[in-house]
Amino acid sequence: MATQLNLDISEELNITTKRGDSLSFTVTVKDSNDDAVDLTGYNFAMDVRFSNEKIDSNVVLSTSPPAAIASSTIVLVGYADGTLSLDATRQAMETVAAGGYVYDIQATNNSTLDSKTWFFGSFDINDDVSVWQ
């Protein structure tokens, strides 16, 4: 009989938004006992990409974008009550064409430097009619 060890703790969270709309939402991160995790001791990284390939030209939004797309920044902040807040301005969201993308969010514990992917999924951007001038 085979023994299996699954270290993948990530949760699938598919996101759909509109092109050119501000993007803002929160999720609450809980441990296996259903207690909120204090997120103040973590750094977070997120990339939205055309595909799972890890090449810079594939990135459309990021917490640390290449200089060529510096306006396409996502801000992730973790709070003591377990809340993880994600924000991207409408200006950042205007830079990305409507379409289907993939993303993930990695959390790195500042004390242990342990890094895990907590969320992943599709990142769909629907086209919009109105555009800010």
Side-chain angles (χ1 to χ4, degrees):
M1 178 188 322
T3 302
Q4 184 174 352
L5 176 62
N6 182 357
L7 300 175
D8 184 354
I9 64 162
S10 61
E11 297 271 337
E12 185 170 0
L13 177 65
N14 297 318
I15 299 168
T16 301
T17 189
K18 281 283 217 191
R19 181 172 188 256
D21 285 1
S22 300
L23 177 63
S24 181
F25 67 88
T26 60
V27 293
T28 301
V29 178
K30 296 185 176 184
D31 64 17
S32 58
N33 295 321
D34 206 32
D35 296 321
V37 176
D38 180 352
L39 302 181
T40 58
Y42 288 85
N43 282 328
F44 298 95
M46 178 179 179
D47 283 341
V48 178
R49 298 174 177 265
F50 288 107
S51 70
N52 288 332
E53 292 183 38
K54 298 212 184 250
I55 52 176
D56 283 346
S57 62
N58 195 16
V59 177
V60 295
L61 291 167
S62 180
T63 51
S64 57
I69 58 168
S71 64
S72 303
T73 301
I74 295 169
V75 177
L76 283 168
V77 179
Y79 297 94
D81 67 354
T83 302
L84 178 61
S85 171
L86 180 144
D87 291 286
T89 65
R90 76 170 167 80
Q91 292 90 344
M93 296 304 296
E94 285 175 347
T95 66
V96 185
Y101 303 92
V102 296
Y103 84 96
D104 68 10
I105 297 175
Q106 283 193 328
T108 301
N109 184 308
N110 294 331
S111 339
T112 64
L113 300 182
D114 182 42
S115 186
K116 299 273 186 196
T117 298
W118 283 2
F119 299 100
F120 72 96
S122 63
F123 193 98
D124 296 319
I125 300 177
N126 295 332
D127 214 350
D128 205 353
V129 176
S130 299
V131 178
W132 281 93
Q133 298 294 324

